[in-house]
Amino acid sequence: MKAVRFHEYGDPGVLRYEGVEQPVPGAGQVRIRVAATSFNSVDGNIRGGFMRGPIPVELPHTPGIDVAGTVDALGEGVTGLAAGDQVVGFLPMDKPGAAAQYVLAPAEILAPAPKSVPLADAAALPLVALTAYQALFDHAKLTAGQRVLINGAGGAVGGYAVQLAKNAGAHVIATASPRTSEQVRTAGADEVVDHTATEVTAAVTEPVDVVLNLAPVDPAQLAALPGLIRSGGVLVNTTVWVPAPSDEDRGVRGIDLFVRSDADQLAQLVALVDRGELHIAVAERVPLAELPALHARAAAGAVSGKAIVVPPTA
């Protein structure tokens, strides 16, 4: 089969499009014929060798944490799945990924793919939507009537976070650039703050219950965010290289989010997609052979929105 792998850590030039042996599922695993994977910023961090502590991978390594595809073969002991089932999943980050024609996945991490969108497009869902869901509901315990600030709402996680928070009945304030402000408003934000023109601390004049920080802001800007949160509220931070600040005197908690694979939550998100309550946005569809160029564009800051990566069918 064809796959993209890196044999050493480094810049995007270490990625190679090459032929490799098709994997064989072991006990508890299924083999998936990949319809698509997606690009996530963590893929570049793993390739660059910056995640060797928390995410140790064996070289050569195939990137691609998200997968959408069709079950092709079952390992011993797998129940509840059959060849031909269309599935989505968030793959183990330290194992070979889905930038290939076939990938192995633990059966328990998979959910049925949405039926209302093309199968390949479903690869844009797992990692980023689970990040948004877990931030808002597992950690922030967001409920109807609360006010939430989503800082950095113009990215892929932010798009899902705005939709999920609005669906939950929250009042959503979102920061975005002029380039992404319209899509953030379309996603359901009640207020959109242009972070290129206004400091968020000046724009948010009434306390919020929850801040979800998705933006790689400098430490001083991050440290100012708890001041926007009412006593007893929470700040959830996904940019974990700078720890989430808190305000213990007022009971404002700071939580660093490390997303986890969860098939039940993913199935809930798929159900929202099929009910038309959650929109999957795909900015571009890139052939697998062009994944090295996609990594290079991302490293240069030239990728906007969610890119899915599609392997050859033959």
Side-chain angles (χ1 to χ4, degrees):
M1 68 173 186
K2 290 295 187 181
V4 170
R5 303 193 297 177
F6 56 90
H7 295 247
E8 65 213 10
Y9 294 112
D11 65 24
V14 301
L15 292 165
R16 301 184 197 170
Y17 181 63
E18 57 192 10
V20 301
E21 288 294 317
Q22 196 177 102
V24 177
Q29 293 181 318
V30 302
R31 185 172 65 207
I32 299 169
R33 187 172 75 248
V34 177
T37 185
S38 81
F39 175 80
N40 293 288
S41 58
V42 70
D43 292 320
N45 291 330
I46 294 171
R47 184 213 68 237
F50 307 120
M51 305 294 287
R52 276 181 265 192
I55 310 174
V57 300
E58 182 177 320
L59 299 178
H61 178 70
T62 304
I65 296 159
D66 292 315
V67 65
T70 305
V71 173
D72 170 76
L74 306 176
E76 183 183 348
V78 173
T79 59
L81 287 168
D85 287 351
Q86 295 189 336
V87 294
V88 290
F90 169 18
L91 297 168
M93 298 172 86
D94 60 347
K95 297 293 189 288
Q101 289 178 295
Y102 294 86
V103 68
L104 300 181
E108 69 271 11
I109 65 106
L110 299 172
K115 295 177 171 56
S116 58
V117 299
L119 179 58
D121 287 7
L125 184 71
L127 174 63
V128 286
L130 283 170
T131 300
Y133 185 95
Q134 290 169 18
L136 292 171
F137 304 114
D138 287 0
H139 296 293
K141 311 294 185 189
L142 184 71
T143 57
Q146 291 189 317
R147 289 167 54 83
V148 57
L149 167 65
I150 300 172
N151 193 40
V157 175
Y160 288 116
V162 170
Q163 293 180 76
L164 290 168
K166 194 61 186 170
N167 288 349
H171 180 89
V172 180
I173 307 165
T175 72
S177 68
R179 180 172 50 84
T180 58
S181 61
E182 188 54 40
Q183 71 188 46
V184 168
R185 202 176 296 280
T186 301
D190 297 286
E191 302 176 45
V192 178
V193 176
D194 178 359
H195 66 77
T196 67
T198 310
E199 281 288 339
V200 66
T201 48
V204 179
T205 56
E206 185 181 334
V208 298
D209 300 279
V210 173
V211 169
L212 172 54
N213 182 60
L214 307 171
V217 297
D218 68 48
Q221 290 175 303
L222 187 61
L225 292 178
L228 303 176
I229 304 172
R230 65 160 181 82
S231 297
V234 61
L235 184 153
V236 182
N237 180 44
T238 64
T239 58
V240 294
W241 53 89
V242 182
S246 58
D247 184 343
E248 294 179 5
D249 292 342
R250 297 191 304 113
V252 174
R253 295 175 298 130
I255 297 170
D256 292 309
L257 171 66
F258 296 88
V259 64
R260 59 185 174 81
S261 187
D262 188 309
D264 290 339
Q265 290 180 352
L266 187 52
Q268 292 178 51
L269 292 162
V270 166
L272 290 174
V273 171
D274 280 340
R275 291 202 300 267
E277 297 173 19
L278 190 66
H279 174 65
I280 293 177
V282 175
E284 57 178 318
R285 296 164 180 84
V286 177
L288 178 62
E290 295 176 19
L291 181 58
L294 175 61
H295 272 243
R297 285 194 288 123
V303 173
S304 177
K306 192 68 174 168
I308 62 168
V309 180
V310 181
T313 55

